[in-house]
Amino acid sequence: MDTTVVLVWIYMVVTILSTLHADRNVYPSAGVLFVHVLEREHFKGEFPPYPKPGDSSNDPITFNTNLMGYPDRPGWLRYIQRTSHSDGVLYGSPTAEHVGKATIIEIIAYNRRTFETARHNLVINIMSTEEYPLPYQAEFYIKNMNVEEMLASEVLGDFLGAVKNVWQPERLNAVNITSALDRGGRVPLPINNLKEGVYVMVGADVQFSSCLREVENPHNQLRCSQEMEPVISCDKKFRAQFDIDWCKINLVDINKMIMIHSNRPDPGTGVLPDIGGYNPPPESLKSRDFFADFLITLAVPSAVAMVLFSVLGYSMCCRREGVDKRNMQTPDIQLVHHSSIQKSTKELRSMSKNREISWPLSTLPVFSQSGEVVPPIHPDNYETTSMPLMQTQTNLQNQIQIPQQQPSGKWHS
């Protein structure tokens, strides 16, 4: 039993010592893109391995990053991780305001299999540069890239190499990278391998090349207004790997920018002044009469509804003209015609009920109530082709023969 307790304590001590790693220091430059990859392999050694050897690479690990003592990161620093099986990336572009200030980022790794955590600190020491900021900056919009793909060192190096061949500067740096979603772009549909798009800002120390300024000519501006691709001579140097939207390129000359300084108020310490303790309401509250509220919310609408219901009932039930008044206003000849039509209709109906006719075969039942098949009315050799479907009268002597007009113009009975 004592041996087991000792082993447990040894395991806990080793785990604590492995978790409390020494802080890692990085030294980015102001005005230059900073990229730091949070590699999952670096944190896997601090979690217990899988029971089966060789399966530790499948551990799902996510990261949480924040400025030490605060719930979020600094404003210039962003973080992205697509899935729990991919590495996380911290990226951003510090400014001259952050020079000389040590920024400590707390990184907490979560193992989604064992629910254990590991904590590291990343100390960012921002250095100043003489060429900051580079006077000429160009922002490109790349449609066929996501931000984590563009942050890869080899992809970013290929893009800077293509820009250098077109621009031909002495110094060239990536200033910033921003996802198109952060600029108000829409999430692409998961079809045809569509990408979110990324904005890449590049700075140089020489004037913009003629190729980059081709988008500013009136012909290309007209094509961009018609949502057509402009004609750029150097596009073929990028097209093999990067699909650039030349209509969204932004060329900025910092030397020609007008700096506007606004007098902003002092933000202060962020602590509210002491205005005394909280004074809760007394326990004995005054009673409130709700009778007036009852009258307003229930009694008044009910009274209005009753008045409207009474007016509607009187107009529908007590203001009817009646049959006598209608007959008084109707001419006598019209009443006589109406009564004669009614009498004729009743007489025809009574005559149709009293006449003797044989029912058509289609209305006779096929089976009797007992379930037996009823024999046919006529024998099989009876000719039914001359028999009408519905006989009007069985007594042929009472039929009236309708006279037919002869070709000679005389009538014969």
Side-chain angles (χ1 to χ4, degrees):
M1 188 66 178
D2 296 338
T3 306
T4 305
V5 174
V6 171
L7 291 176
V8 171
W9 278 104
I10 291 175
Y11 175 76
M12 293 178 61
V13 170
V14 170
T15 303
I16 294 174
L17 290 177
S18 62
T19 303
L20 297 177
H21 268 262
D23 296 344
R24 184 174 181 180
N25 290 267
V26 292
Y27 300 90
S29 300
V32 180
L33 178 66
F34 165 72
V35 180
H36 180 76
V37 181
L38 304 180
E39 299 179 355
R40 297 169 61 251
E41 297 292 339
H42 182 68
F43 292 86
K44 285 180 181 178
E46 303 181 8
F47 301 119
Y50 266 94
K52 296 181 181 180
D55 293 341
S56 59
S57 59
N58 295 327
D59 268 349
I61 298 176
T62 57
F63 301 95
N64 184 26
T65 60
N66 62 278
L67 183 64
M68 180 169 288
Y70 294 88
D72 204 354
R73 297 174 299 276
W76 62 271
L77 189 63
R78 297 185 179 95
Y79 169 74
I80 186 171
Q81 183 185 14
R82 288 290 177 179
T83 64
S84 58
H85 294 280
S86 61
D87 296 335
V89 182
L90 286 168
Y91 67 100
S93 180
T95 60
E97 299 176 356
H98 307 95
V99 173
K101 300 177 182 179
T103 304
I104 303 177
I105 303 298
E106 186 178 13
I107 303 172
I108 301 177
Y110 295 89
N111 190 317
R112 298 298 179 179
R113 179 179 63 89
T114 61
F115 301 101
E116 296 185 356
T117 60
R119 176 176 166 272
H120 285 194
N121 290 334
L122 178 67
V123 182
I124 303 176
N125 303 282
I126 302 173
M127 309 297 293
S128 62
T129 55
E130 297 179 356
E131 62 272 9
Y132 173 82
L134 292 173
Y136 304 98
Q137 298 180 0
E139 187 179 54
F140 299 86
Y141 175 59
I142 305 174
K143 298 184 290 184
N144 64 333
M145 286 285 176
N146 290 334
V147 62
E148 71 275 7
E149 298 173 348
M150 197 66 199
L151 289 172
S153 58
E154 59 275 7
V155 178
L156 184 60
D158 294 341
F159 179 75
L160 293 177
V163 174
K164 190 172 183 179
N165 292 335
V166 173
W167 202 339
Q168 297 296 330
E170 294 182 4
R171 293 192 304 270
L172 181 70
N173 291 326
V175 177
N176 199 2
I177 290 181
T178 308
S179 174
L181 300 183
D182 297 335
R183 299 283 188 91
R186 294 184 177 181
V187 178
L189 296 175
I191 56 176
N192 300 330
N193 197 23
L194 296 177
K195 304 294 184 178
E196 297 172 356
V198 60
Y199 290 88
V200 181
M201 178 169 286
V202 179
D205 58 345
V206 297
Q207 287 278 354
F208 303 110
S209 64
S210 59
C211 174
L212 298 179
R213 291 192 175 276
E214 288 180 0
V215 73
E216 297 178 350
N217 63 57
H219 176 69
N220 285 331
Q221 290 293 323
L222 178 61
R223 292 179 64 89
C224 289
S225 63
Q226 297 175 353
E227 297 184 356
M228 299 173 61
E229 293 187 2
V231 180
I232 306 297
S233 60
C234 57
D235 180 59
K236 58 184 179 182
K237 296 183 179 180
F238 298 90
R239 183 65 64 177
Q241 188 176 1
F242 306 100
D243 186 8
I244 298 177
D245 189 350
W246 292 99
C247 291
K248 293 185 178 181
I249 189 174
N250 186 19
L251 305 179
V252 179
D253 187 354
I254 298 180
N255 297 326
K256 297 181 180 179
M257 294 179 61
I258 301 176
M259 302 302 295
I260 300 176
H261 299 277
S262 59
N263 297 325
R264 293 182 296 179
D266 185 10
T269 60
V271 180
L272 296 177
D274 187 9
I275 56 176
Y278 174 66
N279 186 16
E283 297 182 359
S284 59
L285 299 177
K286 295 181 180 180
S287 61
R288 181 180 175 184
D289 187 11
F290 292 95
F291 183 73
D293 298 338
F294 169 77
L295 293 179
I296 295 175
T297 57
L298 294 179
V300 174
S302 301
V304 174
M306 290 298 296
V307 171
L308 295 177
F309 180 77
S310 302
V311 173
L312 181 62
Y314 174 77
S315 61
M316 295 184 64
C317 301
C318 302
R319 299 288 296 174
R320 299 186 63 180
E321 296 180 352
V323 180
D324 297 335
K325 185 176 181 180
R326 184 196 64 186
N327 293 339
M328 292 177 60
Q329 295 180 355
T330 305
D332 295 339
I333 186 64
Q334 187 175 356
L335 293 176
V336 172
H337 288 170
H338 181 70
S339 60
S340 62
I341 291 174
Q342 284 187 340
K343 290 179 181 179
S344 300
T345 303
K346 292 180 180 180
E347 184 177 358
L348 289 174
R349 289 179 178 176
S350 61
M351 292 175 61
S352 63
K353 293 180 180 179
N354 296 331
R355 63 184 179 180
E356 297 179 358
I357 60 173
S358 60
W359 292 96
L361 298 178
S362 60
T363 60
L364 294 178
V366 180
F367 299 94
S368 63
Q369 296 181 357
S370 61
E372 299 178 356
V373 179
V374 178
I377 298 178
H378 305 289
D380 296 338
N381 58 357
Y382 183 79
E383 184 180 359
T384 59
T385 56
S386 61
M387 180 179 179
L389 294 177
M390 188 172 182
Q391 296 181 356
T392 57
Q393 290 182 355
T394 56
N395 190 1
L396 300 177
Q397 296 179 358
N398 296 331
Q399 291 183 357
I400 301 176
Q401 185 177 1
I402 300 175
Q404 297 181 359
Q405 184 177 3
Q406 299 296 330
S408 60
K410 298 181 181 181
W411 296 88
H412 298 278
S413 59

